[in-house]
Amino acid sequence: AQKVTQAQTEISVVEKEDVTLDCVYETRDTTYYLFWYKQPPSGELVFLIRRNSFDEQNEISGRYSWNFQKSTSSFNFTITASQVVDSAVYFCALETYNTDKLIFGTGTRLQVFP
Amino acid sequence: DTAVSQTPKYLVTQMGNDKSIKCEQNLGHDTMYWYKQDSKKFLKIMFSYNNKELIINETVPNRFSPKSPDKAHLNLHINSLELGDSAVYFCASSQYQSDSGNTIYFGEGSWLTVV
């Protein structure tokens, strides 16, 4: 069975702090894709990143970085020097090969206070 | 230019009514989807279509009927609305690439409230 767990329901930080959002996934497939989406208060779902299961390289995009570790089935997301605009619900998701559907975690609500 | 657009954004209606949500994508993607986000923010797929053909139907009640007149459009019609249908409905689209897989892009959501 496929499953995505985001154990952190809500995180609050003060601006400029670094914050890591955890994501643990379960799948028996060897080919799969992992995603992060951001849902700001306005409600839309914004694609942030996709990683395939054969590429364990960490990725950095500005203040965002992602740490993919197959050994622990984790795909964690770190925001460096957080800003108020980072306040949102962040979803981790899993897609297994040839299924065309995303299995979402329950989301982590991040609140960044000034 | 919005890539995946859905209308209406907000819809308030009475129990028992029939309503439709329309979705269009201008990305040239072959696959389109409907996802539902409930009051606890949980997101789950309802349907997917590939080139107008139904691929996924995740045990959604028959009152929900998707219609894809062409690969750029996927509309969702809901009959006999119930209170439990209140949710945010997201349309999405994707195009599978052999070297990089699928990236699913979402519309802005349609907030449905059944009273």
Side-chain angles (χ1 to χ4, degrees):
Chain A
Q2 281 84 19
K3 187 178 175 184
V4 176
T5 301
Q6 294 180 254
Q8 303 150 310
T9 307
E10 189 159 338
I11 301 175
S12 295
V13 298
V14 177
E15 233 180 352
K16 296 185 186 172
E17 281 186 36
D18 298 347
V19 58
T20 295
L21 310 182
D22 297 334
C23 174
V24 173
Y25 62 93
E26 292 175 34
T27 179
R28 291 183 182 172
D29 292 298
T30 54
T31 302
Y32 52 90
Y33 306 91
L34 296 163
F35 298 77
W36 277 95
Y37 285 86
K38 175 182 179 180
Q39 187 173 38
S42 48
E44 69 272 25
L45 279 166
V46 179
F47 166 76
L48 295 179
I49 190 172
R50 180 190 68 235
R51 227 25 177 174
N52 77 45
S53 51
F54 299 115
D55 183 1
E56 280 194 80
Q57 267 194 320
N58 291 332
E59 179 147 343
I60 298 174
S61 175
R63 297 183 297 106
Y64 294 173
S65 61
W66 291 270
N67 184 337
F68 176 27
Q69 297 208 346
K70 285 177 83 167
S71 60
T72 54
S73 297
S74 65
F75 186 43
N76 296 338
F77 173 29
T78 297
I79 303 175
T80 303
S82 58
Q83 299 176 3
V84 172
V85 292
D86 296 326
S87 297
V89 180
Y90 290 87
F91 291 95
C92 181
L94 166 70
E95 181 192 1
T96 49
Y97 180 68
N98 247 0
T99 60
D100 265 355
K101 71 177 182 183
L102 290 173
I103 296 169
F104 282 90
T106 48
T108 297
R109 180 182 297 279
L110 173 65
Q111 292 198 72
V112 182
F113 294 101
Chain B
D1 219 11
T2 307
V4 182
S5 59
Q6 48 184 115
T7 55
K9 182 157 185 174
Y10 300 101
L11 184 55
V12 180
T13 188
Q14 289 189 322
M15 271 174 51
N17 282 352
D18 303 338
K19 289 294 175 188
S20 291
I21 306 172
K22 295 185 176 181
C23 179
E24 176 181 5
Q25 54 98 0
N26 62 7
L27 296 165
H29 289 169
D30 287 337
T31 307
M32 294 186 72
Y33 311 79
W34 280 106
Y35 280 78
K36 179 180 178 180
Q37 185 173 43
D38 64 21
S39 57
K40 295 184 179 175
K41 293 278 192 185
F42 186 63
L43 276 154
K44 190 175 177 193
I45 191 168
M46 300 173 69
F47 302 103
S48 81
Y49 271 71
N50 185 280
N51 270 316
K52 306 191 296 174
E53 184 182 339
L54 179 66
I55 303 298
I56 295 173
N57 180 339
E58 286 282 302
T59 59
V60 177
N62 290 340
R63 300 182 295 103
F64 290 80
S65 51
K67 291 237 177 1
S68 182
D70 55 63
K71 76 173 196 177
H73 295 83
L74 180 62
N75 304 323
L76 183 65
H77 188 76
I78 316 169
N79 288 326
S80 304
L81 278 155
E82 299 177 357
L83 293 176
D85 297 332
S86 295
V88 184
Y89 292 86
F90 284 97
C91 180
S93 74
S94 71
Q95 180 69 39
Y96 181 76
Q97 309 277 357
S98 59
D99 57 343
S100 57
N102 242 354
T103 295
I104 300 178
Y105 294 95
F106 288 86
E108 294 186 339
S110 293
W111 272 252
L112 172 66
T113 303
V114 182
V115 297

